[in-house]
Amino acid sequence: MSTETSSGTGPDRTEEMTIREAIRLALREELDRDDDVFVMGEDVGAFGGVYEVTGDLVEQFGEERVRDTPISEAGFMGAAVGAAATGMRPVVEIMFSDFIGVCSEQIINQMAKNRYMFGGKTEMPVTVRTTEGGGSGAASQHSGTIHTWFAHFPGVMAVAPATPASAKGLLKSAIRSDDPVIVFENKQIYEQKGEVPLDDDFTIPIGTASVEREGEDVTVVATQRMVGESLELAEELAGQTSVEVVDLRSLYPMDTETLVESVKKTGRLVIADESPLSYGTHAEVATRVMENAFYSLDAPIQRVGVADVHIPFSPALEEEVLPHGSDVEAAINRIV
């Protein structure tokens, strides 16, 4: 069932929780729902995950279904592909997205191509969870935002939740999918709180964006951390500039219809995504809008992201490189 409503034990029952807690709840529900689901990765068991996301799941489901692995992304990613090909539904945690390069062979040449190369006769229900983003002084090898790499690659779906509700709903859809999905979690917003439906069957369909705030003057299409910062900015600008904030949520497939409808209303577009500006998510959003709503645009499209540099270790330099709400405001001011 794919729905964005919740019933739980009562109509529309929700609970406020953090993104971290919402992800853990989704994992708990899916582990409980389907015996073929299991979690694997470095420190996901007794340690509870490097960002404490898997928490106490091992205590409830045991070490067979919440499996600690050696420090070998290539090894356990390959094991997950084999498990999925033979009927299991693995949820793999790659501690930092920067490390995906170590197992890119298993993802790009095996996981993504398996169904195609076997003529659709096999399924590949692998969910890959990984963290990305700067802001914690973790230096270049632990701070990248690389979701464009895999949103670009055929055979893989990619999502990037920005709220607790979308974190739960998208992860559950990913686990239930018969095709591989990579869930990119921004590490700086794990503590962000919001209402989360408690219905065990609450899911958010992959490939749908969400209008988080309606506006009339300019559309801000944002992802992950930049959604919250854009919503705060929209509130600050209320009465001066009416800002519509769209949470992209799904990088591939992308909800072109929602983007186009918003830009046709506002006539202006800012794209805010914490990834390098060249050849990336910004360009894909801009192109889809240009192809479908060119004559609705009243000003040039603006991009807010990371310059084409690695994330510095120095806190001052890191702050300078990363995009913030102030950068979105500057972009809005250039076109409104």
Side-chain angles (χ1 to χ4, degrees):
M1 180 172 73
S2 292
T3 175
E4 288 191 56
T5 61
S6 173
S7 56
T9 57
D12 301 321
R13 185 163 173 246
T14 66
E15 181 178 315
E16 185 180 72
M17 62 183 71
T18 65
I19 288 178
R20 175 187 288 108
E21 292 167 337
I23 294 169
R24 188 184 307 142
L25 176 61
L27 291 171
R28 193 184 307 279
E29 289 177 354
E30 293 306 299
L31 284 162
D32 190 55
R33 171 180 174 271
D34 187 346
D35 290 340
D36 289 332
V37 175
F38 69 98
V39 176
M40 64 190 302
E42 297 158 357
D43 293 329
V44 298
F47 189 70
V50 67
Y51 285 100
E52 302 178 349
V53 173
T54 48
D56 62 351
L57 292 177
V58 69
E59 297 177 14
Q60 179 177 353
F61 297 100
E63 294 180 357
E64 288 294 309
R65 298 189 63 202
V66 183
R67 304 177 69 97
D68 282 322
T69 66
I71 302 175
S72 174
E73 286 79 9
F76 63 77
M77 192 68 239
V81 170
T86 52
M88 302 297 286
R89 308 187 83 85
V91 181
V92 182
E93 179 178 310
I94 303 228
M95 194 178 288
F96 295 94
S97 63
D98 312 74
F99 302 163
I100 288 183
V102 179
C103 57
S104 58
E105 153 65 22
Q106 285 70 25
I107 293 175
I108 291 173
N109 275 330
Q110 309 305 326
M111 187 180 84
K113 296 178 179 176
N114 190 280
R115 183 191 281 271
Y116 170 76
M117 294 183 68
F118 285 91
K121 295 180 181 179
T122 61
E123 295 176 345
M124 191 48 53
V126 182
T127 299
V128 180
R129 291 182 43 250
T130 190
T131 66
E132 60 178 5
S136 58
S140 296
Q141 292 181 339
H142 301 76
S143 303
T145 297
I146 68 164
H147 49 238
T148 296
W149 296 7
F150 295 96
H152 167 80
F153 201 84
V156 178
M157 292 182 282
V159 298
T163 66
S166 66
K168 179 187 179 184
L170 289 171
L171 179 55
K172 287 171 70 73
S173 288
I175 295 171
R176 298 183 187 191
S177 170
D178 290 331
D179 292 299
V181 184
I182 304 181
V183 182
F184 291 96
E185 301 164 9
N186 183 279
K187 63 177 73 76
Q188 291 303 304
I189 58 173
Y190 275 134
E191 285 299 304
Q192 181 176 309
K193 291 185 177 181
E195 293 295 323
V196 176
L198 297 182
D199 185 353
D200 289 353
D201 279 325
F202 168 77
T203 59
I204 292 175
I206 295 172
T208 60
S210 172
V211 178
E212 294 293 311
R213 180 188 177 100
E214 294 191 355
E216 302 293 332
D217 296 328
V218 59
T219 296
V220 175
V221 174
T223 63
Q224 298 175 321
R225 176 178 61 85
M226 297 308 298
V227 173
E229 297 214 13
S230 297
L231 287 169
E232 291 178 6
L233 174 65
E235 182 65 29
E236 293 173 9
L237 296 179
Q240 174 186 347
T241 303
S242 178
V243 180
E244 178 148 304
V245 179
V246 178
D247 179 1
L248 192 58
R249 295 199 303 201
S250 182
L251 306 168
Y252 187 87
M254 189 178 289
D255 184 357
T256 306
E257 182 178 353
T258 296
L259 307 181
V260 169
E261 287 180 358
S262 179
V263 172
K264 283 184 176 179
K265 178 173 64 172
T266 66
R268 295 172 176 85
L269 173 62
V270 174
I271 306 158
D273 177 64
E274 190 186 319
S275 66
L277 290 169
S278 294
Y279 305 101
T281 300
H282 309 82
E284 185 62 31
V285 173
T287 299
R288 293 187 184 217
V289 170
M290 290 283 285
E291 289 174 343
N292 294 278
F294 176 78
Y295 293 105
S296 297
L297 287 167
D298 297 324
I301 295 172
Q302 301 293 304
R303 297 179 295 167
V304 175
V306 175
D308 297 337
V309 299
H310 301 299
I311 305 301
F313 174 66
S314 160
L317 292 177
E318 183 181 45
E319 181 73 9
E320 178 68 23
V321 166
L322 294 176
H324 298 285
S326 58
D327 300 301
V328 178
E329 183 175 16
I332 290 173
N333 289 337
R334 288 195 294 267
I335 57 175
V336 174

